[in-house]
């Protein structure tokens, strides 16, 4: 399941790059959220989980905005001018932004010197990507992807503090359905006049069925098996898959700057999201009950909800 999620949430950047060449941005996003909702809603209805969401509809709507409605539009728009591999690398800054936002919004997780060093290292990697000599795309597209990363960093805070006790699959299905309602009129205004190519249709199907509906089913099973902290480690693998797919399948250029930047972002993310030392830990060689050796995103949902939605 870990390997599947590492690949499944590493390839949306590639599929978006292919699909956006054949359909307008609102149509692409509607196809993804609409098909995803159509596949997940029946499962949530059969499990009778939707009713428990109603008292939390305001926070669910906000969560849907910062995890789906805004970022999926910005990311798709950015990839009309930016390579898929660059998009994946910039999104790799999400764990660093999660650590920063968690601290700025009153989180109790202490930033140790090691975690501060990780933040600075990771931010240096992002700075290297957007500095002079950056391959592919313009600063506007880069800014859009960084806004996407900020949205993805905000979502886990909302989920953990306001939605952590809700059933995750039902929550995802409801958010996708809400996004479908929002995007339907926009897609209707930009609907293509002819049927897209088979390659574009295949990319749309992959985004909706594999990278959205199937991905969440597997991700929730992974969380149930190993816990949210260990499951979130896929965040460190996804960018490498995104770069590999862009370079290998789309012929995108891989530069030494991108390689160094990825190493800095990845290393900084691991350090910045290390669990803080807490009182009451056992002596060296022991383990606290429920402790986890794997690094994870700070402020993860405690009820088993998703750390963040798909890219």
């Amino acid at each position: 399941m870990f390997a599947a999620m590492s690949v499944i949430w590493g390839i949306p950047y590639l599929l978006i790059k292919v699909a956006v060449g054949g359909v307008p941005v609102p149509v692409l996003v509607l196809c993804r959220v609409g098909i995803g909702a159509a596949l997940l809603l029946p499962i949530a209805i059969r499990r009778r989980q939707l009713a428990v969401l109603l008292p939390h509809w305001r926070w669910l709507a906000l969560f849907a905005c910062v995890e789906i409605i805004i970022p999926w539009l910005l990311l798709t728009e950015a990839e009309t001018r930016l390579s898929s591999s660059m998009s994946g690398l910039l999104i790799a800054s999400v764990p660093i932004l999660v650590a920063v936002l968690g601290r700025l919004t009153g989180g109790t997780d202490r930033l140790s010197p090691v975690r501060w060093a990780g933040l600075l290292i990771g931010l240096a990697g992002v700075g290297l990507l957007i500095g002079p000599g950056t391959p592919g795309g313009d600063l506007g597209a880069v800014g859009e992807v960084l806004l996407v990363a900020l949205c993805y960093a905000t979502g886990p805070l909302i989920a953990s503090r306001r939605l952590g006790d809700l059933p995750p699959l039902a929550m995802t299905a409801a958010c996708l359905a809400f996004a479908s309602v929002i995007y339907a009129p926009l897609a209707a205004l930009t609907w293509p006049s002819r049927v897209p190519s088979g390659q574009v249709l295949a990319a749309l199907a992959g985004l909706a069925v594999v990278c959205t509906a199937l991905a969440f089913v597997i991700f929730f099973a992974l969380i149930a098996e190993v816990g949210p902290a260990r499951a979130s480690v896929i965040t460190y693998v996804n960018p490498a898959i995104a770069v590999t797919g862009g370079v290998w399948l789309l012929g995108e250029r891989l530069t030494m700057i991108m390689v160094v930047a990825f190493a800095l972002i990845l290393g900084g993310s691991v350090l910045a999201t290390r669990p803080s030392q807490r009182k009451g830990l056992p002596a060296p060689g022991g383990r606290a009950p429920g402790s986890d050796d794997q690094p994870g995103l700070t402020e993860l949902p405690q009820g088993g909800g998703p750390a963040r939605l798909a890219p």
Side-chain angles (χ1 to χ4, degrees):
M1 287 189 292
F2 181 91
M5 288 310 308
S6 297
V7 174
I8 287 174
W9 276 352
I11 62 174
Y13 310 98
L14 165 68
L15 297 180
I16 290 172
K17 189 67 176 179
V18 173
V20 80
V23 295
V25 172
V27 174
L28 188 157
V29 181
L30 176 64
C31 289
R32 185 176 183 182
V33 298
I35 297 174
L39 294 174
L40 293 182
L41 273 176
I43 301 175
I45 293 172
R46 188 167 60 249
R47 295 180 180 180
R48 300 181 179 179
Q49 294 179 337
L50 293 180
V52 300
L53 304 179
L54 292 177
H56 307 273
W57 69 269
R58 290 183 179 85
W59 287 107
L60 274 172
L62 180 60
F63 182 75
C65 286
V66 299
E67 280 286 358
I68 299 176
I69 296 172
I70 296 174
W72 289 10
L73 176 68
L74 290 176
L75 180 61
T76 306
E77 171 62 29
E79 286 207 37
T80 62
R81 293 166 286 143
L82 195 67
S83 69
S84 64
S85 52
M86 269 290 291
S87 299
L89 287 179
L90 289 168
I91 294 296
S93 62
V94 167
I96 297 171
L97 295 175
V98 169
V100 172
L101 288 178
R103 185 61 178 173
L104 292 178
T105 56
T108 58
D109 208 8
R110 185 176 61 88
L111 289 180
S112 64
V114 172
R115 296 184 66 191
W116 274 113
L119 291 175
L120 295 177
I121 291 171
L123 292 175
V126 175
L128 190 61
L129 278 179
I130 64 178
T134 299
D138 53 32
L139 287 179
V142 169
E144 287 176 333
V145 178
L146 290 178
L147 284 175
V148 172
L150 181 61
C151 286
Y152 284 162
T154 304
L157 299 179
I158 298 174
S160 64
R161 297 176 183 181
R162 300 294 179 176
L163 306 172
D165 295 329
L166 299 182
L169 191 142
M171 189 173 82
T172 302
C175 289
L176 290 173
F178 176 56
S180 301
V181 173
I182 297 297
Y183 274 105
L186 297 176
L189 293 175
T190 58
W191 200 262
S193 57
R194 59 182 180 178
V195 178
S197 67
Q199 188 179 42
V200 171
L201 292 176
L204 290 172
L207 280 169
V209 178
V210 178
C211 299
T212 303
L214 178 62
F216 284 119
V217 173
I218 298 175
F219 188 51
F220 299 146
L222 180 62
I223 289 176
E225 182 73 21
V226 302
R230 287 175 182 255
S232 71
V233 179
I234 62 171
T235 306
Y236 304 139
V237 184
N238 299 151
I241 301 297
V243 172
T244 301
V247 172
W248 182 32
L249 298 177
L250 297 182
E252 295 175 349
R253 189 163 62 98
L254 179 64
T255 68
M256 184 55 63
I257 290 178
M258 294 172 67
V259 173
V260 173
F262 175 60
L264 291 173
I265 294 173
L266 178 60
S269 296
V270 172
L271 293 176
T273 56
R274 286 185 60 181
S276 299
Q277 292 291 334
R278 298 184 180 182
K279 294 179 180 180
L281 289 179
R287 284 176 60 87
S291 64
D292 197 334
D293 290 336
Q294 296 292 340
L297 299 182
T298 59
E299 301 291 342
L300 282 170
Q302 299 304 309
R308 49 171 285 267
L309 297 190

